[in-house]
Amino acid sequence: MTKKGFIFDLDGVIVDTAKYHYLAWKKLANSIGVDFSEAQNEQLKGVSRIHSLEKILEWGNKILTKEEFSDLMGKKNDDYLSYISKMDESEILSDVPQVLNFLIDNKQCIALGSASKNARTILERVNLIKKFNAIIDGNDVSKAKPDPEVFLNAADALKVQPEKCVVFEDSIAGIKAANIANMISIGIGDKEILNEADYVFKNFTEINSEFLLSLINEERKVKIDSLLQGNDRKREIK
Ligand code: B16
Ligand code: MG
């Protein structure tokens, strides 16, 4: 059986921590007199902590000193940590354990590729950390998605060539990063939003073992082949 690398984003793919980021960012924004909506929170998905705060300040037309900026970053993270410290296995998104176990049973390599510096804490809280052969998170990269650094580092850690890797992502920036890395990109979410992905599913309950086996056994570089043939790379499997 072919050995492929399966790389999972964390927030929005394995767990829904976006709601906790939202609460923490909203408290911070409001504390400096800036409004913060759920729609704005959507735009922060997959975006690093520093860039998220920069965006909030831009939206609110605020300029801070370096000290104020780092103080707010610390406060936001303390708040966020207090939410995630209460997480448990019940917060794992549907069918994620089944997909991870299927890949493990089929001797596949599994990595995490997340922008979050709190990724390890979250994986420990939800008791999934042992399922991963490698973890690349916000502490390991200098360039944020859509830069492919996080996924290329994950492939490297798994010792699998990038073109033999499959990425599960919920953000537009993450799908772009996977495509740039020449990996198969699988969007988890809305197909209208994630329209650059090779495949899009609403969630893991839509992904069956037949599809996973086809990813494992796919020998050719799907993207390169289809690009060369000028085919439409977007195939939605239901
Ligand atoms: P932290 P992902 C991302 O996680 C989140 O989507 C994004 O909202 C967050 O700002 C970023 O991690 C940094 O998180 O503050 O915990 O370092 O989707 O890449 O798993
Ligand atoms: Mg995400």
Side-chain angles (χ1 to χ4, degrees):
M1 190 168 280
T2 328
K3 205 160 234 181
K4 293 275 174 72
F6 287 83
I7 307 173
F8 292 76
D9 174 52
L10 178 67
D11 182 19
V13 169
I14 293 177
V15 286
D16 178 21
T17 40
K19 59 188 177 207
Y20 301 134
H21 281 296
Y22 172 66
L23 292 172
W25 282 131
K26 188 173 174 59
K27 185 172 164 190
L28 174 145
N30 293 167
S31 77
I32 54 169
V34 174
D35 282 338
F36 185 67
S37 65
E38 291 196 40
Q40 284 168 319
N41 193 54
E42 277 298 306
Q43 294 183 49
L44 302 184
K45 281 188 178 172
V47 177
S48 71
R49 204 181 307 163
I50 292 189
H51 287 130
S52 299
L53 182 51
E54 283 170 353
K55 272 180 180 276
I56 290 171
L57 296 176
E58 201 182 299
W59 291 329
N61 260 323
K62 293 269 171 193
I63 295 168
L64 299 182
T65 64
K66 263 188 179 176
E67 289 71 29
E68 287 168 334
F69 189 95
S70 76
D71 183 47
L72 284 185
M73 289 262 290
K75 280 194 179 136
K76 187 269 170 178
N77 199 47
D78 287 347
D79 244 5
Y80 180 65
L81 284 174
S82 75
Y83 288 116
I84 62 174
S85 68
K86 296 182 197 103
M87 286 178 82
D88 62 24
E89 290 171 38
S90 67
E91 299 210 36
I92 300 172
L93 293 173
S94 295
D95 278 11
V96 168
Q98 285 82 344
V99 168
L100 290 171
N101 289 337
F102 182 86
L103 296 173
I104 292 167
D105 291 345
N106 283 278
K107 312 265 178 296
Q108 299 303 300
C109 301
I110 303 177
L112 190 86
S114 164
S116 175
K117 293 188 172 182
N118 297 302
R120 282 174 188 272
T121 311
I122 295 168
L123 286 183
E124 270 160 14
R125 289 296 319 161
V126 300
N127 208 14
L128 282 180
I129 199 151
K130 292 201 180 91
K131 308 268 182 205
F132 291 83
N133 304 108
I135 294 175
I136 305 295
D137 64 17
N139 301 293
D140 306 307
V141 292
S142 54
K143 294 174 223 132
K145 301 167 188 174
D147 190 283
E149 185 184 13
V150 64
F151 296 140
L152 291 173
N153 284 2
D156 200 40
L158 293 176
K159 299 193 172 31
V160 177
Q161 294 161 295
E163 60 270 26
K164 290 192 172 163
C165 287
V166 176
V167 171
F168 296 95
E169 250 291 343
D170 71 315
S171 72
I172 299 169
I175 293 295
K176 282 188 199 290
N179 289 341
I180 294 167
N182 197 22
M183 299 175 177
I184 302 288
S185 55
I186 303 189
I188 300 293
D190 187 329
K191 67 176 180 189
E192 302 297 326
I193 296 173
L194 303 175
N195 58 21
E196 289 181 34
D198 292 311
Y199 305 88
V200 180
F201 300 92
K202 277 200 197 91
N203 54 50
F204 283 95
T205 65
E206 288 189 346
I207 297 184
N208 58 26
S209 50
E210 193 192 351
F211 175 69
L212 292 172
L213 280 176
S214 77
L215 292 171
I216 293 170
N217 294 318
E218 182 70 75
E219 280 303 330
R220 68 203 170 89
K221 294 177 200 167
V222 177
K223 283 189 185 176
I224 291 178
D225 285 356
S226 51
L227 274 175
L228 287 175
Q229 291 158 15
N231 289 345
D232 183 0
R233 294 194 292 120
K234 283 169 244 156
R235 287 166 293 165
E236 193 189 354
I237 305 276
K238 291 240 160 104

